[in-house]
Amino acid sequence: MSPSAAAFFGPFLACTDGLVISGTFTLASQSATGTASSAAGTASRARASGTAAEPLLFGPENGIVRRLETLVHEPQPAFNPLVFCGSSGTGKTSLAMLLVDLRAQHLQTTNVFRTTGADFARAASHALETDSVAEYRSRMGRADIVLIDELQRLANRAAPLEELQNRLDGWLRRGSLVVVTMKTLPVETAGLSPGVISRLSAGLCVPLLPPEQATRAALLAHYAEREQLTLSTDARERLVQRTNSTPAFLTAASLRHALLQLAHLSSTNKRPIDEALVDELLADHLPDEKATLRQIVTTVAKHFEISLSALKGDCRQRNLVMARGVVVHLARQLTSASFATIGELLGKRDHTTILHSARKIVELIDLDPELRQHVEHLRQQLTATEVHR
């Protein structure tokens, strides 16, 4: 941590019994219903058209976010750019949008430039092709606040990355607050230029974590109260637990959606929201485990550019052994499949072979940052596939 960051976060990090560390809290825009106060949860925000924005709800695993609220009220933010990183469902986009809104309210400005990595790349390419670069740069350069969502979409796009580097220099010289969201930290994102990485890393990079079980429980209580739903204690525990055999609703959005589904089931069947009803809902959400295992094998083979027959075959080449280990690791993370079941899928290998592979790949992941990044990318890709299946 830099000296300036240490000075800024020092009082927060020293706190062990206050709201931020041990409890939950909200962030809200001035137009949002409610105030920033003790509440449940993790990041979630309703942006229904024509309605007031719902406050963002955070748990202690993301407690450092609470300190960021003061940044947007400073004449010149202590950290710029602000970069939020995390997997889908952690609330990074909602948080970025809220801080941009708070900054705009504080400055009383509407001069906000909002874009995504993909849109930035398309606009930059179009400006170059139509010889309208000067107009394009002038329009962006006047922004008091900049939001770039999913900046990783610019990876391996040389011309747009060079343009972004130049725009970042201009915005930072002007004192415009730049807020960025990404899947991973800039330095861990393959395909970004060194110039863009250095400029993003010179600000403040904040990894966001999924809500832990205690936070999910608080979130559930918040949403149940808001929807005026009564849940039995067993039902609440069943919804927020995470086991190898049942999926948890791991994000604020999925918990909220689950409650709406339970409310519908309860009303339609005239039944209380108890553990039995939650089990019915969970059963509907359980993916076909064999289909998930097949998807893992196919996705890993495609990612490492090897054939399915080679992956399942007897060849002991290093890249094939490593890929098989990744399949085993992801299968154990994303399903409840036994070692024997996974071995059957990987060319009828025995339980002991798969167990050894599972242990070995964990060691390799710990030692090899590049492999760790590959595995995390595959995990996120497969998780997203399950969500949208």
Side-chain angles (χ1 to χ4, degrees):
M1 180 178 292
S2 67
S4 58
F8 184 78
F9 288 108
F12 162 76
L13 295 173
C15 174
T16 57
D17 59 352
L19 171 65
V20 173
I21 296 296
S22 63
T24 52
F25 60 94
T26 67
L27 297 179
S29 66
Q30 293 174 9
S31 60
T33 58
T35 59
S37 60
S38 179
T42 189
S44 170
R45 188 180 188 185
R47 283 187 159 265
S49 177
T51 64
E54 180 184 347
L56 291 181
L57 301 140
F58 290 90
E61 61 276 352
N62 289 312
I64 199 168
V65 168
R66 186 66 180 90
R67 189 71 173 94
L68 298 177
E69 188 178 15
T70 63
L71 286 177
V72 299
H73 300 302
E74 298 175 351
Q76 290 296 324
F79 302 99
N80 197 11
L82 289 177
V83 182
F84 297 107
C85 311
S87 57
S88 298
T90 52
K92 56 186 181 296
T93 297
S94 295
L95 175 59
M97 294 173 71
L98 175 58
L99 291 179
V100 166
D101 287 348
L102 289 171
R103 181 67 173 173
Q105 292 165 8
H106 176 69
L107 296 180
Q108 296 184 328
T109 182
T110 58
N111 198 5
V112 180
F113 177 67
R114 305 171 191 260
T115 189
T116 66
D119 287 343
F120 186 95
R122 281 191 290 268
S125 298
H126 178 75
L128 289 169
E129 292 169 0
T130 59
D131 197 25
S132 58
V133 173
E135 178 185 352
Y136 169 71
R137 290 175 176 171
S138 175
R139 185 173 67 254
M140 286 191 300
R142 294 191 296 267
D144 296 318
I145 310 164
V146 178
L147 170 61
I148 306 177
D149 192 28
E150 295 193 326
L151 185 141
Q152 76 277 355
R153 298 292 184 89
L154 281 166
N156 300 311
R157 307 286 294 273
L161 282 170
E162 182 179 359
E163 182 63 27
L164 175 61
Q165 179 177 320
N166 292 332
R167 292 310 96 223
L168 286 170
D169 287 341
W171 288 322
L172 295 177
R173 280 196 304 267
R174 190 177 187 274
S176 305
L177 177 64
V178 179
V179 183
V180 169
T181 73
M182 306 175 66
K183 294 287 188 184
T184 56
L185 293 168
V187 71
E188 296 175 354
T189 303
L192 295 185
S193 65
V196 168
I197 290 174
S198 67
R199 284 156 178 79
L200 295 177
S201 300
L204 182 66
C205 298
V206 181
L208 296 178
L209 302 175
E212 296 178 354
Q213 183 162 326
T215 302
R216 295 197 298 272
L219 266 172
L220 187 63
H222 169 75
Y223 290 133
E225 181 180 3
R226 192 186 65 180
E227 299 296 332
Q228 298 183 328
L229 297 175
T230 301
L231 284 74
S232 71
T233 300
D234 289 341
R236 290 173 184 266
E237 292 177 355
R238 190 76 169 126
L239 274 171
V240 302
Q241 70 181 341
R242 181 175 188 171
T243 67
N244 287 332
S245 59
T246 59
F249 297 100
L250 297 179
T251 67
S254 62
L255 277 172
R256 187 170 59 247
H257 183 59
L259 276 180
L260 294 176
Q261 289 180 294
L262 286 169
H264 175 73
L265 288 172
S266 175
S267 175
T268 301
N269 300 310
K270 301 188 184 316
R271 292 173 53 188
I273 302 179
D274 54 14
E275 186 176 14
L277 194 64
V278 173
D279 280 340
E280 291 182 20
L281 180 65
L282 284 167
D284 290 339
H285 280 76
L286 280 170
D288 181 339
E289 188 161 88
K290 289 184 178 179
T292 302
L293 289 170
R294 289 193 296 269
Q295 182 65 31
I296 290 171
V297 172
T298 302
T299 302
V300 170
K302 182 178 180 181
H303 180 83
F304 291 110
E305 298 180 346
I306 55 181
S307 67
L308 288 175
S309 59
L311 185 63
K312 297 180 180 182
D314 296 329
C315 181
R316 297 286 300 169
Q317 287 182 2
R318 183 178 178 182
N319 66 318
L320 294 175
V321 173
M322 182 271 297
R324 290 175 195 132
V326 171
V327 169
V328 174
H329 183 74
L330 290 170
R332 294 293 291 177
Q333 280 195 331
L334 302 178
T335 76
S336 60
S338 66
F339 288 121
T341 300
I342 299 169
E344 184 72 15
L345 189 70
L346 283 175
K348 300 185 183 300
R349 286 174 163 79
D350 62 40
H351 170 277
T352 304
T353 300
I354 299 301
L355 176 60
H356 173 76
S357 179
R359 291 173 176 171
K360 186 65 177 178
I361 196 67
V362 168
E363 295 175 4
L364 293 175
I365 290 170
D366 287 341
L367 294 172
D368 188 344
E370 184 176 355
L371 175 59
R372 187 160 60 248
Q373 185 173 346
H374 281 296
V375 172
E376 177 59 18
H377 171 78
L378 285 164
R379 188 190 65 77
Q380 292 183 8
Q381 182 180 345
L382 288 161
T383 301
T385 300
E386 286 302 324
V387 168
H388 296 295
R389 180 174 291 179

